[in-house]
Amino acid sequence: MSTLPYRDPSRTVQERVADLLARLTLEEKAGQLSQYFYMTSGEPVPEDFDIESLPPEYRAFAEQPKKVETAVRTGAAGSVLFVTDPSLANRLQRSAVEESPHGIPLIFGFDVIHGLRTIFPVPIALAASWCTSTIEQVQAIAAREARAVGIHWTFAPMVDVARDPRWGRIIEGAGEDPVLGAAVAAAQVRGFQGDRGAESVIAGPKHLAGYGAARGGRDYDDAEISDAELWNVYLPPFRAAVAAGAGNVMSAYMDLNGVPASGNAWLLTHVLRDELGFEGWVVSDANAVRSLETQHFARDQTDAAARAMTAGMDMEMTMLDPAFSQLPDAVAQGLVSIDAIDQAVSRVLTAKFGLGLFERPYVDETATAGILAADEHRDVARVAAERSVVLLKNDAHALPLRPEGLTTVAVVGQLANSQRDTLGPWVFAHDTAETVTVLDGLRARVGDAVVVEHAPGAGIPARTFPSPFDAMDPTVTDTSSDHDDDAEIARAVDLAAAADVAIVVVGQRQNQIGETASSATLDLPGRQLDQLQQIVATGTPVVLVVMSGRPLDLQWADANVPAIVQAWYPGTRGGEALAAVLLGDVSPAGRLPFTWPRHAGQVPMIYAHYRTFAPDYQDRRYWEELSTPLYPFGHGLSYADFTYDGLRLDRDTIAAGETATVSVEVTNTSDRDADEVVQLYIHQRYGTSSRPVRELKGFQRLAVPRGETRTVTFPVGPDELRYWSAATRGWIQDATTLDLWVGGSSTTELTTVLEVTA
């Protein structure tokens, strides 16, 4: 019996796709374009269970796994997500391969955002490392662990530029800057996808586009973004992710300039495919196609399916009832062409053939445990956390601490010993018990020679509106209902008063940031500030450690606490990393990937603003206080001292289209080895459009041994100088005069000038 052409691995992917496509019915094609959540632990609902007695929403949830299994068996599902048990993945895959009409394997997707079993620092923290090699290494390990349980595709990286820290999902991205964001996006894609082999996953950058600009920082609200800001700020990370080879892109939920992103043909076809050159497949965010009716954009679900498909959507992610199941009706009504459906199916099948799923559909369950437990993965997690820490303030060299001068250390704060909060949000397959907390890390580092005592202190109030993700995670930590704030704060203050130093850990719990976790304030929750003030009043030296994924109001702390460390949510080995930084084993070199405002009343606040009218009064836009940040973009201190000298250009003038090279000498003048993050900024003095006062155009994180000098170079050419102008409705590079700055933050003063001629 001859092998069907699509079963023949000696044929090209294109030949196999064409053969299989010709064999599919319209209904089967719609099935390949449907992705289902599989919301169960894998345990079947007992036959005698009275499902009808449940409320409708719970009944649908209980029935969902069985309906998904039926869809898989009948060829009505092309993909399944939220499966992390390799045996369950194999069972579902076996049904698809051995029971469905054409034996087309499933592609399994999952939110592998900052690790699967080994949890790395949250994405905003990884961005704070300004180290693309570390970021790439981290995501390569995440991919290896994901493939070990049967996952082929991750809904990451999130590349949304975020300029309003009230938005909860700021934690998933790289902050406010398009150049940093683009570099981080490309590094993550390279890490996830690797060589496209058996230990790689397909990357799915998201959310196209502008989700990070939701009004008021409110999740799911609409966004209004000018064309110039869209092209110059929000799209560069997507362009970089596509250029790095991303196989998938996810569309956004919200309306962009009045058109839902998941039904926006200009965005999904003209921008993504024609302008950015994307060749993979596009998936909707959860229920985003169905939501086109909810958003009063589509008439009904048939119209929603047709409008998403004609806009450029290839696959629908849905909880249960896909709108794409209506595609045959949409064809019958003349709302969508079969050619459009065939194109989408071809893209999905191309990905499956490219992954080798037809030849190797199953995961090796015998290898899973060893890969997930790999010690080298945890070592990388520790290093990544060390590189992400940002030293915000360090007056009078309060840090590093010297253990030989300590007998007692007070560690205060509920977050200091919370294993779950140390990991951060957007993790679902973690082992919370292996987390090293800040308290654990300090005790292990100083050993028996120093007494390290802990007081949980002030409670952290729970969310007013509970997180829907908490129901999926039995390890979520909360302040107990019988917590006595007055008594616990008093105990914490007494403990601090008797110690040589107090390490006070403040911040937000992991479920107070992320999706559905936007915040109306940047205040420290509960009485954490009151507690800090009382501890400082004891006279004991204080080190403040901040655990958050957004900037918080640290005005009082900045004025009264000598040392402040931004720890983020540092992951599985986060406590070890924090101990290494606090005790000087590692010199911190993380840098802020966003501007840190004084409080919520200032947001949005970005470093790359325009001069506009009266630039000399930029710091006095408010009548009652400075309109300046607490900490600038790119800020971060070190235990070492660096000098910058010899800033020069290889030529003073270039023609548009040519490239100059700027170089600078960076010297470590201290007595310890350390990393430095060298940053290049430019400003265009005049041209077709006005340009921001400073724009990041290059950066390098490099190790500089004590007493040594390193020369750092950056190109300054068309890639750095072109921009999208609202005056010409297109890309342009002006003949102009450029100011260039190189240094350790966006406020660096070392500068030179470059002339650009026509």
Side-chain angles (χ1 to χ4, degrees), residues 688-754:
T688 306
S689 298
S690 57
R691 303 299 299 140
V693 293
R694 290 196 185 192
E695 298 177 274
L696 180 72
K697 290 300 177 181
F699 63 89
Q700 281 189 43
R701 177 168 176 151
L702 71 159
V704 185
R706 55 186 175 182
E708 294 192 16
T709 298
R710 295 288 183 268
T711 299
V712 180
T713 62
F714 298 103
V716 182
D719 289 346
E720 291 74 34
L721 302 181
R722 77 169 193 150
Y723 64 94
W724 197 94
S725 171
T728 62
R729 311 297 299 170
W731 294 98
I732 192 169
Q733 182 186 344
D734 289 315
T736 187
T737 300
L738 297 167
D739 296 303
L740 285 71
W741 296 268
V742 178
S745 82
S746 60
T747 60
T748 182
E749 297 182 355
L750 185 62
T751 185
T752 189
V753 175
L754 175 65

Side-chain angles (χ1 to χ4, degrees), residues 262-263 288-293 297-309 323-324:
S262 294
V289 175
R290 293 186 58 83
S291 183
L292 295 179
E293 181 182 0
F297 178 73
R299 179 179 62 254
D300 53 29
Q301 289 300 295
T302 301
D303 188 37
R307 295 183 75 171
M309 175 62 59
F324 273 12

Side-chain angles (χ1 to χ4, degrees), residues 465-749:
F465 304 106
S467 168
F469 301 106
D470 286 354
M472 305 177 191
D473 187 353
T475 69
V476 169
T477 304
D478 206 348
T479 301
S480 63
S481 58
D482 60 351
H483 183 85
D484 185 336
D485 242 18
D486 287 335
E488 292 300 329
I489 290 174
R491 188 164 79 86
V493 172
D494 289 344
L495 185 70
D500 297 321
V501 63
I503 298 173
V504 182
V505 183
V506 300
Q508 296 178 319
R509 291 203 185 277
Q510 60 82 26
N511 62 2
Q512 294 173 335
I513 191 164
E515 187 168 0
T516 74
S518 294
S519 178
T521 176
L522 302 182
D523 294 346
L524 291 171
R527 295 175 60 191
Q528 293 181 91
L529 176 57
D530 174 24
Q531 175 177 267
L532 175 64
Q533 291 170 333
Q534 292 188 48
I535 291 172
V536 169
T538 67
T540 296
V542 172
V543 173
L544 187 68
V545 174
V546 183
M547 196 176 290
S548 74
R550 56 163 59 96
L552 298 174
D553 187 341
L554 298 182
Q555 293 180 95
W556 188 91
D558 182 70
N560 294 277
V561 177
I564 304 176
V565 173
Q566 176 65 15
W568 313 102
Y569 301 93
T572 298
R573 289 295 182 263
E576 292 175 3
L578 262 295
V581 169
L582 294 176
L583 290 159
D585 303 330
V586 172
S587 178
R591 301 292 182 263
L592 289 179
F594 49 62
T595 301
W596 194 298
R598 297 175 187 277
H599 53 72
Q602 291 183 313
V603 302
M605 172 175 278
I606 58 172
Y607 85 93
H609 58 81
Y610 290 81
R611 283 174 63 82
T612 69
F613 181 74
D616 292 342
Y617 291 86
Q618 181 63 42
D619 61 343
R620 286 168 277 174
R621 300 298 195 212
Y622 302 120
W623 65 263
E624 79 277 37
E625 66 175 26
L626 286 170
S627 50
T628 56
L630 189 63
Y631 307 114
F633 175 83
H635 169 74
L637 304 177
S638 172
Y639 296 154
D641 296 312
F642 295 94
T643 61
Y644 287 75
D645 295 297
L647 180 63
R648 59 193 178 277
L649 288 158
D650 66 341
R651 64 189 88 174
D652 296 328
T653 302
I654 59 172
E658 294 181 340
T659 299
T661 299
V662 59
S663 59
V664 69
E665 293 179 352
V666 182
T667 302
N668 182 344
T669 60
S670 68
D671 60 358
R672 63 176 301 151
D673 301 341
D675 284 7
E676 172 67 336
V677 178
V678 184
Q679 304 164 43
L680 166 69
Y681 295 86
I682 72 166
H683 170 62
Q684 179 173 302
R685 292 187 188 176
Y686 56 87
T688 306
S689 298
S690 57
R691 303 299 299 140
V693 293
R694 290 196 185 192
E695 298 177 274
L696 180 72
K697 290 300 177 181
F699 63 89
Q700 281 189 43
R701 177 168 176 151
L702 71 159
V704 185
R706 55 186 175 182
E708 294 192 16
T709 298
R710 295 288 183 268
T711 299
V712 180
T713 62
F714 298 103
V716 182
D719 289 346
E720 291 74 34
L721 302 181
R722 77 169 193 150
Y723 64 94
W724 197 94
S725 171
T728 62
R729 311 297 299 170
W731 294 98
I732 192 169
Q733 182 186 344
D734 289 315
T736 187
T737 300
L738 297 167
D739 296 303
L740 285 71
W741 296 268
V742 178
S745 82
S746 60
T747 60
T748 182
E749 297 182 355

Side-chain angles (χ1 to χ4, degrees), residues 24-197:
L24 302 180
T25 66
L26 187 53
E27 288 73 18
E28 289 167 343
K29 291 174 182 177
Q32 283 301 302
L33 305 181
S34 298
Q35 180 185 55
Y36 292 87
F37 280 81
Y38 191 84
M39 304 299 290
T40 179
S41 63
E43 296 296 326
V45 177
E47 292 292 335
D48 59 352
F49 184 75
D50 184 11
I51 288 179
E52 297 300 320
S53 67
L54 295 173
E57 64 273 20
Y58 294 107
R59 187 185 316 153
F61 184 82
E63 293 174 336
Q64 196 251 13
K66 186 175 181 179
K67 290 186 176 182
V68 173
E69 290 171 13
T70 299
V72 170
R73 187 171 58 254
T74 59
S79 177
V80 172
L81 72 149
F82 236 81
V83 174
T84 58
D85 180 345
S87 62
L88 176 58
N90 279 342
R91 179 169 69 81
L92 292 171
Q93 190 72 290
R94 192 167 291 109
S95 179
V97 170
E98 299 178 8
E99 299 180 72
S100 72
H102 302 282
I104 304 173
L106 296 167
I107 183 170
F108 288 97
F110 195 67
D111 286 285
V112 186
I113 307 301
H114 56 112
L116 186 80
R117 180 61 54 78
T118 306
I119 306 304
F120 300 97
V122 291
I124 193 69
L126 291 173
S129 75
W130 294 57
C131 184
T132 56
S133 61
T134 296
I135 294 168
E136 186 172 339
Q137 183 183 26
V138 158
Q139 300 300 33
I141 291 173
R144 182 173 187 246
E145 293 188 358
R147 282 304 289 269
V149 302
I151 296 166
H152 311 116
W153 161 30
T154 176
F155 311 124
M158 194 201 84
V159 301
D160 292 309
V161 171
R163 296 186 155 190
D164 188 333
R166 293 173 298 179
W167 188 51
R169 300 192 78 168
I170 186 176
I171 194 172
E172 291 179 64
E176 74 181 51
D177 186 78
V179 169
L180 178 61
V184 171
Q188 292 192 77
V189 169
R190 292 193 302 268
F192 282 131
Q193 296 193 166
D195 60 0
R196 297 289 189 111

Side-chain angles (χ1 to χ4, degrees), residues 99-347:
E99 299 180 72
S100 72
H102 302 282
I104 304 173
L106 296 167
I107 183 170
F108 288 97
F110 195 67
D111 286 285
V112 186
I113 307 301
H114 56 112
L116 186 80
R117 180 61 54 78
T118 306
I119 306 304
F120 300 97
V122 291
I124 193 69
L126 291 173
S129 75
W130 294 57
C131 184
T132 56
S133 61
T134 296
I135 294 168
E136 186 172 339
Q137 183 183 26
V138 158
Q139 300 300 33
I141 291 173
R144 182 173 187 246
E145 293 188 358
R147 282 304 289 269
V149 302
I151 296 166
H152 311 116
W153 161 30
T154 176
F155 311 124
M158 194 201 84
V159 301
D160 292 309
V161 171
R163 296 186 155 190
D164 188 333
R166 293 173 298 179
W167 188 51
R169 300 192 78 168
I170 186 176
I171 194 172
E172 291 179 64
E176 74 181 51
D177 186 78
V179 169
L180 178 61
V184 171
Q188 292 192 77
V189 169
R190 292 193 302 268
F192 282 131
Q193 296 193 166
D195 60 0
R196 297 289 189 111
E199 293 193 337
S200 299
V201 296
I202 291 177
K206 61 186 182 184
H207 310 79
L208 192 71
Y211 186 23
R215 293 184 194 267
R218 295 181 295 270
D219 229 356
Y220 311 142
D221 273 14
D222 63 299
E224 285 285 337
I225 305 173
S226 72
D227 286 349
E229 192 168 25
L230 189 66
W231 286 108
N232 291 321
V233 176
Y234 289 92
L235 289 176
F238 284 98
R239 184 185 295 277
V242 169
N248 172 255
V249 165
M250 180 185 288
S251 67
Y253 295 115
M254 82 301 151
D255 294 69
L256 174 63
N257 299 337
V259 182
S262 294
N264 190 327
W266 176 81
L267 185 63
L268 300 182
T269 298
H270 173 68
V271 172
L272 181 59
R273 296 199 182 276
D274 298 343
E275 293 293 329
L276 303 189
F278 180 63
E279 296 180 351
W281 87 101
V282 179
V283 67
S284 75
D285 207 339
N287 287 338
V289 175
R290 293 186 58 83
S291 183
L292 295 179
E293 181 182 0
T294 302
Q295 291 167 263
H296 288 191
F297 178 73
R299 179 179 62 254
D300 53 29
Q301 289 300 295
T302 301
D303 188 37
R307 295 183 75 171
M309 175 62 59
T310 56
M313 187 68 66
D314 299 310
M315 179 179 280
E316 176 190 8
M317 182 192 294
T318 181
M319 291 296 296
L320 187 59
D321 297 316
F324 273 12
S325 67
Q326 305 299 313
L327 284 173
D329 289 342
V331 171
Q333 295 178 37
L335 298 176
V336 66
S337 70
I338 292 179
D339 287 346
I341 294 173
D342 284 353
Q343 185 178 53
V345 176
S346 294
R347 290 168 179 155

